[in-house]
Amino acid sequence: MKTLMGVTLALVPLAGWAASTEYQDIERGRYISVLGDCAACHTVNDDQPFAGGVPLETPFGTLVAPNITPDATTGLGRWDYEDFKAAMTEGVGKGGYHLYPAMPYPSYTLMNEEDIHDLWSFLQTVTPVENAIEANQLPFPFSIRSVMMGWNWLNFDERSFEPDPEQSDEINRGAYLVEGLGHCGTCHTPRNFMGGAGGDKFAGATIEGWYAPDITPNAHVGIGGWSEDELVEYLQTGGNRYGFASGPMADEVHHSSQHWTEDDLYAVARYLLSGAGLESSDWDHAPPEPLPEDNPQVTAGSHIYFDRCSGCHTPNGGGEEGIFPQLASNPLVNGDNTTSLIRVVLAGSRPVATDAKPTAPAMPSFAWNLNDEEIASVLTFVRNSWGNAAPAVSAGEVADMREELRGD
Ligand code: HEC
Ligand code: HEC
Ligand code: HEC
């Protein structure tokens, strides 16, 4: 096991608890915290792990992840194991208040007792930090916690993980990680109007101005064309020949999946690529026909592509393995949602650096030298060439993203 985010957390066991807890449980718990990516939301500053303070945009306003160090006044110092377990599996805080589902308890509810126990043992050993956080910064009426009772009634089932006896242990392990601790669906499954999971599982969703793509086994818009090795490479190093993780996925790789064991990564790959958690009718759709070559946007876009893009992405869209992503047969390029594509061309992108790939090349920004129409055309060309097929991009969509990026 690597250290969490490059820092070795001081082991300061609390009397009583530590006496009854094996060192191994604590180390296991540290790994559980990595699988659950608790740091993504509860750590701002790597020197003060789990001291809270990460602001999260929700459809209702801002929530700030609280301090979960064992500090007695501003953290979980007065909580016991049962309090913690209720937070993780029922979304209820000490004293009975309802947590907002920005804390991914709708996924963590699948955690088994041993994992919750070891995670708690580990959190007891984290250095206590005094850092008072006001988690609830939502506007009225969402600021009323009891509103959550209604939400839970509609959207949340307290569940335990049931292995599927028809599937291998490995696929069941993958299911436990993807559906539970890894909470992949919180970003990759479309939300309903109340922020609960709605729509087709893993079919892709917009989150904080990024698009978390389709991760179903569909070969055109999902990851069905990827091998297990390519999927593991993406989660472990932050990229493969189809592209690099940016935005929220870069954080996920950086804090979490790059530190997962290879066995766990392959379990995830096998589970996702097998489609075991899905109905085939959810993802097994025929790809659309590409737009014809004489479509005006495609023609205009091809000139821009050969002029501005082909030097890196190559004339046939094949890219350069490990350096420039392959745009041909790339699910992100074929996806219905163009948020990330437009964003990458407007703003450029620097991929995540991982232990396995410390430096990576960058995609330049074209916001200053291509107008909305030109960007729409070049992307329409890319989305309808070399085996790709997807609806045209409009100049209006590019203008909207330009506006959104200005607000960042
Ligand atoms: C996507 C962001 C996110 C992740 C990941 C996350 N949390 Fe949270 N967590 C939150 C937010 C936001 C709250 C506050 C919710 C509220 O006050 O209603 C919270 C609340 C909590 C609470 C209740 C604390 C209190 O004072 O009420 C505990 C305990 C907790 N989280 C533990 C964890 C653990 C352990 C993990 C990793 C397994 C984790 N969280 C992962 C966002 C997150
Ligand atoms: C905090 C939100 C978030 C979480 C949690 C998350 N993802 Fe992602 N994921 C994204 C975003 C956003 C992208 C798009 C990144 C980009 O465009 O560079 C992405 C991209 C991906 C891709 C690349 C798909 C493609 O077509 O390029 C894969 C594969 C993936 N995620 C798998 C996972 C798995 C497996 C998990 C759970 C272990 C997970 N993600 C958890 C937000 C998330
Ligand atoms: C100087 C080299 C270079 C040029 C020129 C360039 N790109 Fe890129 N492009 C990259 C790199 C490197 C990445 C990966 C960056 C990342 O994902 O963070 C990338 C990523 C992308 C992606 C995202 C692919 C994915 O799956 O994540 C798209 C789409 C893209 N480029 C389109 C274009 C278009 C359209 C043009 C021309 C207008 C262009 N690029 C010009 C280097 C370049």
Side-chain angles (χ1 to χ4, degrees), residues 166-191:
E166 309 273 292
Q167 301 288 355
S168 66
D169 288 352
E170 192 183 26
I171 288 198
N172 278 310
R173 173 70 182 165
Y176 179 75
L177 292 169
V178 167
E179 310 283 342
L181 266 169
H183 62 278
C184 314
T186 55
C187 297
H188 288 276
T189 294
R191 309 276 99 190

Side-chain angles (χ1 to χ4, degrees), residues 178 182-184 186-188 207 210-215 223 226 231 234-235 244-246 248-249 252 260 268 272 330-332 340:
V178 167
H183 62 278
C184 314
T186 55
C187 297
H188 288 276
I207 155 149
W210 292 87
Y211 177 59
D214 185 317
I215 53 169
I223 54 177
W226 294 17
L231 180 49
Y234 186 92
L235 295 171
F244 301 92
S246 22
M249 191 63 196
E252 195 281 337
W260 294 21
V268 164
L272 282 176
N330 181 326
L332 190 69
S340 296

Side-chain angles (χ1 to χ4, degrees), residues 44-60:
V44 169
N45 181 341
D46 284 0
D47 298 338
Q48 299 191 326
F50 308 114
V54 178
L56 295 159
E57 300 305 328
T58 76
F60 314 110

Side-chain angles (χ1 to χ4, degrees), residues 14 17-18 20-21 25-26 28-30 32-33 38 67-71 75-88 94 111-126:
L14 295 183
W17 180 267
S20 62
T21 308
D25 294 354
I26 296 172
R28 239 192 123 256
R30 181 201 302 275
I32 304 297
S33 79
C38 317
N67 180 349
I68 56 168
T69 70
D71 183 65
L76 304 184
R78 294 183 204 280
W79 288 42
D80 62 21
Y81 174 66
E82 291 303 323
D83 297 329
F84 179 68
K85 188 177 161 190
M88 300 303 287
K94 183 179 173 65
M111 286 173 72
N112 63 40
E113 186 86 35
E114 186 189 7
D115 284 358
I116 302 173
H117 170 273
D118 292 352
L119 177 56
W120 178 241
S121 303
F122 163 67
L123 285 174
Q124 297 294 288
T125 68
V126 168

Side-chain angles (χ1 to χ4, degrees), residues 242-246 304-305 308-313 323-327 330 332-333 341 344-345 349-352 361-364 366 370 378-379 382:
Y242 296 105
F244 301 92
S246 22
I304 302 169
Y305 183 82
R308 304 296 179 85
C309 322
S310 65
C312 294
H313 292 286
I323 312 176
F324 304 122
Q326 165 178 337
L327 301 180
N330 181 326
L332 190 69
V333 171
L341 291 180
V344 128
V345 175
S349 166
R350 179 168 293 282
V352 56
M363 156 91 185
F366 289 91
L370 290 178
V378 73
L379 284 174
V382 166

Side-chain angles (χ1 to χ4, degrees), residues 235-265:
L235 295 171
Q236 192 167 49
T237 70
N240 62 19
R241 68 194 173 105
Y242 296 105
F244 301 92
S246 22
M249 191 63 196
D251 293 341
E252 195 281 337
V253 171
H254 178 72
H255 290 300
S256 184
S257 62
Q258 72 160 327
H259 301 296
W260 294 21
T261 63
E262 211 141 89
D263 285 352
D264 278 347
L265 290 172

